[in-house]
Amino acid sequence: MKPAVILYKSLPDDLRAKLDAHFTVTEVQNIAPETIKQHAAQFAEAQGLLGSGGKVNGDLLAAMPALRVCSTVSVGYDNFDVDALNQRKVLLMHTPTVLTETVADTMMSLVLSTARRVTELDKWVKAGEWKKSIGPEYYGVDVHHKTLGILGMGRIGLALAQRAHFGFGMNILYNARRQHEEAETRFGARACDVETLLKESDFVCISLPLTEQTHHMIGAAQLKMMKSSAILINAGRGPVVDQEALTAALKDGTIHAAGLDVFEVEPVPAEAEILTLPNVVALPHIGSATHETRYGMARDAVDNLIAALSGKVEKNCVNPQIQA
Ligand code: GLV
């Protein structure tokens, strides 16, 4: 008999067919408590769980006593209680490689659109405000040959450094847990502490996961360390930045602008003050959201589930040590 799995994200037809060939699939909208209650029997017998979004914690694990593998269609897994998964010996698979270049493109687009006021001026032109050649009040700031600081030199940080160095002749600073030789030799990146990075960068780019250590890592004190001309880019996780402190810093000129793909609460509430600021470019968490990359992530998540449920984990596993 084929193992049972719960699918909580719709898949392209070919990938769904592949999943169906290996498993008995129950597709649900989400993994909210009401959904679990409604499909209690299917959750109880499922050995696999595939999707993205929603919290995977002790409560969900209690409803899934047969669960052996979670496969998330994402690189980030801060919504998973990894300790609880480890205790239950449930493998967690993710998609860390396929989205790297696309997320770096998104970050570069935030660098450019904040510096050159692309979205603000787009609205202005479409509103019929372009009556004569613009004056200094609408000028942007240069990107090329400036200093770009990267908090978190993982795969995405490295791809961003490549773009900034070769494409824009920028100086690269970075802060990471380990020295990154490739970033230093290929892109001339210089390792420094967080304070130096904040003080010297024209663009501070966050590419960090959300952990206890990174929660509110950028607050009022850190924003004050930045140049008043500096721009903050966050495409990691919203709660790495204290959004209230950022809103204040953007309003009183502590920093120049921000480009945000992530927010403390997502979807960001329409009434959030940060959305009213002209010096903010806001995106709806689209870091990896291209047709090609979202397909690749779904494909990897399906392959990860198939590999893990057949005991063949070779890559893309967050907690391989539990197999020992
Ligand atoms: C996106 O944020 C991801 O974690 O894949």
Side-chain angles (χ1 to χ4, degrees), residues 111 115 140-149 164 168-173 200-203 227 229 231:
V111 167
V141 293
D142 276 336
V143 171
H144 65 88
H145 300 99
K146 293 277 183 74
T147 296
L148 182 128
F168 296 86
M170 299 178 90
N171 306 310
I172 313 291
L173 300 178
E200 293 186 12
S201 298
D202 298 301
F203 297 89
K227 299 179 188 180
S229 57
I231 294 177

Side-chain angles (χ1 to χ4, degrees), residues 171-282:
N171 306 310
I172 313 291
L173 300 178
Y174 76 98
N175 176 269
R177 277 173 305 182
R178 280 182 291 279
Q179 191 190 353
H180 205 299
E181 220 176 287
E182 188 182 354
E184 297 187 8
T185 51
R186 288 182 62 203
F187 314 133
R190 179 161 66 85
C192 61
D193 58 30
V194 174
E195 190 170 333
T196 306
L197 186 146
L198 293 171
K199 285 183 172 157
E200 293 186 12
S201 298
D202 298 301
F203 297 89
V204 171
C205 298
I206 301 172
S207 177
L208 285 166
L210 177 62
T211 63
E212 270 172 33
Q213 291 73 40
T214 63
H215 183 265
H216 279 194
M217 180 178 162
I218 303 296
Q222 290 71 30
L223 291 161
K224 271 204 194 83
M225 290 176 195
M226 291 171 61
K227 299 179 188 180
S228 57
S229 57
I231 294 177
L232 182 76
I233 305 296
N234 189 5
R237 283 293 182 264
V240 173
V241 178
D242 176 344
Q243 193 169 304
E244 205 180 310
L246 176 61
T247 305
L250 289 161
K251 277 169 70 182
D252 69 14
T254 301
I255 67 167
H256 180 61
L260 306 171
D261 187 37
V262 289
F263 294 83
E264 284 217 68
V265 176
E266 293 181 6
V268 60
E271 58 280 6
E273 190 180 9
I274 200 153
L275 299 183
T276 65
L277 306 179
N279 51 347
V280 169
V281 174

Side-chain angles (χ1 to χ4, degrees), residues 63-80:
M64 302 192 74
L67 187 65
R68 291 167 50 214
V69 178
C70 295
S71 180
T72 180
V73 191
S74 65
V75 58
Y77 50 86
D78 45 282
N79 51 328
F80 287 81

